[in-house]
Amino acid sequence: MLYQAAMDLNVKVRILTGDANSAAAQVCPDYVVDDWNNETALRRFATGCEVVTFDHELVDTRVLRSVEAGRCTLRPAASSMQKVLDKASQRRLVRELHMPTPDYLLASDRDALQAAVLRFGYPAVMKATRGGYDGRGVHVLSGDEDLNAWSDLPSEWLVEPLLPIERELAVQVVRGVDGELRTYPVVETYQSGGICRSVVAPAIVPPELADTVRRFAEAIAESCGIVGVLAVEFFVVGGELMVNELAPRVHNTAHYTVEACAVSQFENHVRAVLGWPLGPTDLVVPAAVMTNVIAGPDPLRPLSEIRPFPPVRVHLYGKQTRAGRKVGHVTACGDDAARLRQTADRVAAMLVGESEAVPSGAPSDRSQGVRA
Ligand SMILES: Nc1ncnc2c1ncn2[C@@H]1O[C@H](COP(=O)(O)OP(=O)(O)O)[C@@H](O)[C@H]1O
Ligand SMILES: [Mg+2]
C-alpha cells in the first residue's frame, strides 16, 4: 500500500523483502530478497536509495546505526526507531513523558516472572517485548498452571495485570523532516483473540478525551523525533486513558484513511520521509469502518462470487491464507457507523467463507481481548 501511494506520486521504490512471494514483491517489480538485519545486505540495498524507510519494526538498531553512519539516510532515523522499537522502550518513553500506562514489570527469567505475577496477581498478561504482533507473543496467565508452563524465558517479557478494558482507541500522527505535524482522527478499535478486527472512524468519545489522545500522540512523536507515521494505541480503563503501544510505521488502524481521509497515511508517510510538505488528514466522509479479512481454515472465496456492497471497498494482499492471518481488509464509508460496521464485517466474513457476518459489538469483542 505504501508502494501504491509512492507510485501515484511518481516516486521510484525499491523494496527489501525476506520473501519473493511477499505482498510487496507482488506489486513492486524492483525488489531485492535479502536479510534486512544483515549489515552488509542492508548497506548494499541502502546505497542505491535516496532514503530508506520501514513498514515493520523487526529491525536491529545496531545494524541501523551502523548503516546510518555509512551516510545512508534512514527515516525514521535509528535514534527514533530505538526509542519505540520494543514494548519495554515504548513504555519507558511514555512514562518519561508522564503519561499513564498500565502498571507493568519486565521479566527476563523465571524468578522475575514469578515476582511480577506475585505483585499483580492472576490473571496477568505477559507480552514478548519484541517480535510480537496481532496478539502473537501475548499470553494470559490465569493461575499457577499457566505460570509453571514457563520453566525458562527465552526473551524479555512485559508483565501486567489483565485489565478490564472498556474501549480501545488509536490515533496516528505523521511528522515531517522539518517537524510539521499532522494528526488523523481518533479511532475506536475492536479486537478479539488479540487481533484487531475492526476500526471505526471517528471514535465517538467526549471531545476532551479525543484532545488528550491527540496531544499524547503528538508529544510522543515530537519526543522521539519520528519522521513518517507513528501510531499510538490506547486503553480506556475505569474511564481513564492509558497508552498501551506505539508503532513507528503505517498502521492497520489507519488503513481506512485511503478512502476516508483527504490524504492517506501511506501518501503522508511517503511525503514525510521524502521531506515534502504533508497533506491534510481530515475525514472527507462522515464515518468509515475498516474490517480486517482474517483468514480461516479455507482459501478465500473468489471475489467474483461476492455481490458488491455499494459502500465497501475491498483490499486483498495476495498473501497465502493461514488461519488467523490478516490477508486483506474492507472499508465502508457513509453516515451511520453501526450500519457500516455490519456491512464491512459481513463482506469480510463472506470473503473467508463464513456465510454469517460476525455480529457487531458482540460481547466477545471485549472479553476475548487476548489469547488464553
Ligand atoms: N493488560 C491487558 N489487559 C487486557 N487486555 C490486554 C492487555 N494487554 C493487551 N490486551 C489485549 O491484547 C491486544 C494485543 O495486545 P498489544 O499489547 O496491543 O500487543 P500486540 O498488538 O503487539 O499483539 C490488545 O489490543 C488488547 O485487546
Ligand atoms: Mg497492539
Short mmCIF file of all heavy atoms in Angstrom, two decimals, residues 87 134-135 168 191 194 233 244-245 251, ligand 2:
data_model
loop_
_atom_site.label_atom_id
_atom_site.label_comp_id
_atom_site.label_asym_id
_atom_site.label_seq_id
_atom_site.Cartn_x
_atom_site.Cartn_y
_atom_site.Cartn_z
N LYS A 87 8.44 -3.12 23.22
CA LYS A 87 7.41 -2.69 24.19
C LYS A 87 8.04 -2.10 25.46
O LYS A 87 7.45 -1.22 26.07
CB LYS A 87 6.50 -3.87 24.53
CG LYS A 87 5.60 -4.32 23.38
CD LYS A 87 4.55 -5.31 23.89
CE LYS A 87 3.84 -6.12 22.82
NZ LYS A 87 3.30 -5.44 21.68
N ASP A 134 -0.32 -8.67 16.49
CA ASP A 134 -1.63 -9.32 16.38
C ASP A 134 -1.87 -10.33 17.50
O ASP A 134 -2.45 -11.40 17.28
CB ASP A 134 -1.78 -10.04 15.03
CG ASP A 134 -1.91 -9.05 13.89
OD1 ASP A 134 -2.10 -7.85 14.17
OD2 ASP A 134 -1.82 -9.49 12.72
N GLY A 135 -1.42 -10.01 18.70
CA GLY A 135 -1.66 -10.89 19.83
C GLY A 135 -0.69 -12.07 19.90
O GLY A 135 -0.67 -12.80 20.89
N GLU A 168 -10.89 0.48 23.32
CA GLU A 168 -9.53 0.67 22.81
C GLU A 168 -9.60 1.75 21.73
O GLU A 168 -10.47 1.70 20.86
CB GLU A 168 -8.96 -0.64 22.27
CG GLU A 168 -8.77 -1.66 23.39
CD GLU A 168 -7.92 -2.85 22.99
OE1 GLU A 168 -6.83 -2.66 22.42
OE2 GLU A 168 -8.36 -3.99 23.26
N GLN A 191 -11.01 -5.61 19.09
CA GLN A 191 -10.18 -6.80 18.91
C GLN A 191 -10.89 -8.03 19.44
O GLN A 191 -11.70 -7.95 20.35
CB GLN A 191 -8.81 -6.73 19.62
CG GLN A 191 -8.50 -5.47 20.37
CD GLN A 191 -7.96 -4.40 19.46
OE1 GLN A 191 -7.18 -4.72 18.56
NE2 GLN A 191 -8.36 -3.18 19.62
N GLY A 194 -6.84 -11.00 20.56
CA GLY A 194 -5.62 -10.19 20.46
C GLY A 194 -5.43 -9.55 19.10
O GLY A 194 -4.47 -8.81 18.89
N GLU A 233 -1.58 3.27 20.36
CA GLU A 233 -2.77 2.52 20.81
C GLU A 233 -3.03 2.82 22.28
O GLU A 233 -2.09 2.86 23.08
CB GLU A 233 -2.53 1.01 20.68
CG GLU A 233 -2.38 0.54 19.25
CD GLU A 233 -2.09 -0.97 19.17
OE1 GLU A 233 -2.15 -1.68 20.19
OE2 GLU A 233 -1.79 -1.42 18.05
N ASN A 244 -1.02 2.13 25.53
CA ASN A 244 -0.61 0.72 25.52
C ASN A 244 0.63 0.51 24.68
O ASN A 244 1.63 -0.02 25.15
CB ASN A 244 -1.75 -0.17 25.01
CG ASN A 244 -1.31 -1.62 24.83
OD1 ASN A 244 -0.57 -2.15 25.66
ND2 ASN A 244 -1.72 -2.25 23.74
N GLU A 245 0.60 0.98 23.44
CA GLU A 245 1.63 0.56 22.48
C GLU A 245 1.89 1.62 21.43
O GLU A 245 0.98 2.38 21.10
CB GLU A 245 1.05 -0.64 21.70
CG GLU A 245 1.81 -1.88 21.75
CD GLU A 245 1.60 -2.75 20.51
OE1 GLU A 245 0.47 -2.89 20.01
OE2 GLU A 245 2.61 -3.27 20.06
N HIS A 251 0.06 1.95 9.80
CA HIS A 251 -0.53 1.03 10.77
C HIS A 251 -1.91 0.57 10.33
O HIS A 251 -2.66 1.32 9.70
CB HIS A 251 -0.63 1.76 12.12
CG HIS A 251 -0.80 0.88 13.30
ND1 HIS A 251 -1.98 0.80 13.98
CD2 HIS A 251 0.07 0.05 13.92
CE1 HIS A 251 -1.83 -0.06 14.99
NE2 HIS A 251 -0.59 -0.52 14.98
MG MG B 2 -1.40 -3.77 19.73
#
